[in-house]
Amino acid sequence: MYHHRPQSYGYSAAAGSSATIRLDEEVKLTTTSAERELHDSLAELYSVIVTLDAVEKAYIKDSIPEAAYSETCDRLLKHYRAILRDETVSHAFHDLDAFKREWQMEYPRATDRLRIGLPATVEQASSSQQAAAAAAAAHGAAGAGARAAGTAISDATENFITFLDAVKIHIVAKDSLHPLLSDVITSVNRVTGGADFDGRPKIVEWLIVLNRMKANEEISEAQARELSFDIEQAYYGFKATLR
């Protein structure tokens, strides 16, 4: 009785060449742990973009509660920024447009959100934030409502002062300033419901400027002066809404 071994198919290069491709052998995309980590990080970035686009679509269609959208979107944006803090990954990624071209991606809603760097509920007033602010204003003089409103105002004021102090002591790196300014707009929205006031658009504009910088980039001395002035004016505009 004859026993036949499975035939192993392969391709040999032309005579004189030692190269052989075995079709039954695993093809390794990477050869070192560093290369594997880089590929894993780029794959995570791809996944974040795809997921964020789906979340944005769901929010537009009212298929996801605002609170869940805000939490999920914020987590994805932070994860995106955290991955790109690695210089090797950032260099391979280059920028969002280049990455999308390389992998033939579209995802316009995710692209807009990544460029802005803020959930839509923070960038613009959400209905729930407006309702909460209106309720707080209506019942602000009573008990728990007054305490909650007071805490929110105190938090916003503290975040303004923390940010302005950071700029004054020459903290100018994007990865230091962006989280602090994000805290400012988030806490302000809790008080105002996202309603516009003098200087609020400047907060959002600077968040977008900082978001488009690389993690290790720094703003110039002239930008730092302009930023400090704009946020200080926004602080005065915020305080005016409390009168």
Side-chain angles (χ1 to χ4, degrees):
M1 185 174 180
Y2 294 97
H3 297 277
H4 298 281
R5 296 179 61 188
Q7 184 175 358
S8 177
Y9 294 94
Y11 165 78
S12 295
S17 172
S18 61
T20 300
I21 300 174
R22 308 299 302 183
L23 301 182
D24 60 344
E25 291 181 357
E26 180 182 359
V27 177
K28 294 183 178 181
L29 298 178
T30 60
T31 57
T32 67
S33 60
E35 287 179 344
R36 283 194 295 273
E37 289 179 8
L38 175 58
H39 278 260
D40 287 346
S41 295
L42 294 175
E44 283 190 61
L45 288 169
Y46 188 102
S47 178
V48 166
I49 295 169
V50 173
T51 304
L52 183 56
D53 199 75
V55 170
E56 289 294 311
K57 287 180 181 177
Y59 178 66
I60 292 170
K61 295 178 180 177
D62 289 328
S63 300
I64 182 174
E66 285 183 355
Y69 163 78
S70 297
E71 180 183 353
T72 304
C73 184
D74 187 56
R75 185 171 64 249
L76 288 169
L77 291 171
K78 286 179 178 177
H79 188 46
Y80 175 85
R81 287 193 289 265
I83 296 171
L84 288 175
R85 287 195 187 103
D86 185 294
E87 290 187 7
T88 302
V89 177
S90 180
H91 179 74
F93 182 79
H94 188 56
D95 60 39
L96 182 57
D97 288 334
F99 187 78
K100 286 173 58 184
R101 282 194 304 270
E102 181 178 359
W103 298 104
Q104 299 180 356
M105 305 175 72
E106 293 295 335
Y107 303 109
R109 293 174 181 82
T111 300
D112 289 342
R113 190 56 50 208
L114 288 168
R115 284 175 175 158
I116 293 170
L118 299 167
T121 47
V122 176
E123 179 193 5
Q124 299 174 345
S126 67
S127 58
S128 62
Q129 286 175 326
Q130 291 174 333
H139 303 288
R147 288 193 296 273
T151 299
I153 292 169
S154 177
D155 288 345
T157 300
E158 182 178 340
N159 287 331
F160 265 116
I161 293 172
T162 298
F163 182 83
L164 289 169
D165 285 348
V167 179
K168 285 178 183 176
I169 61 175
H170 307 296
I171 294 177
V172 291
K174 174 260 179 81
D175 59 356
S176 297
L177 292 177
H178 192 278
L180 293 176
L181 196 54
S182 294
D183 288 343
V184 170
I185 194 68
T186 300
S187 58
V188 163
N189 283 348
R190 292 195 188 105
V191 178
T192 65
D196 197 18
F197 58 85
D198 286 344
R200 186 185 186 279
K202 285 293 184 181
I203 301 176
V204 174
E205 285 178 21
W206 275 109
L207 278 166
I208 295 173
V209 169
L210 292 170
N211 184 65
R212 291 179 176 176
M213 296 169 61
K214 293 185 177 180
N216 59 353
E217 282 189 275
E218 298 181 349
I219 59 175
S220 67
E221 184 176 343
Q223 284 178 308
R225 286 197 299 270
E226 185 179 358
L227 172 59
S228 181
F229 175 81
D230 287 342
I231 302 307
E232 188 171 10
Q233 295 305 304
Y235 177 46
Y236 295 145
F238 169 70
K239 290 202 298 185
T241 67
L242 307 177
R243 296 170 187 165

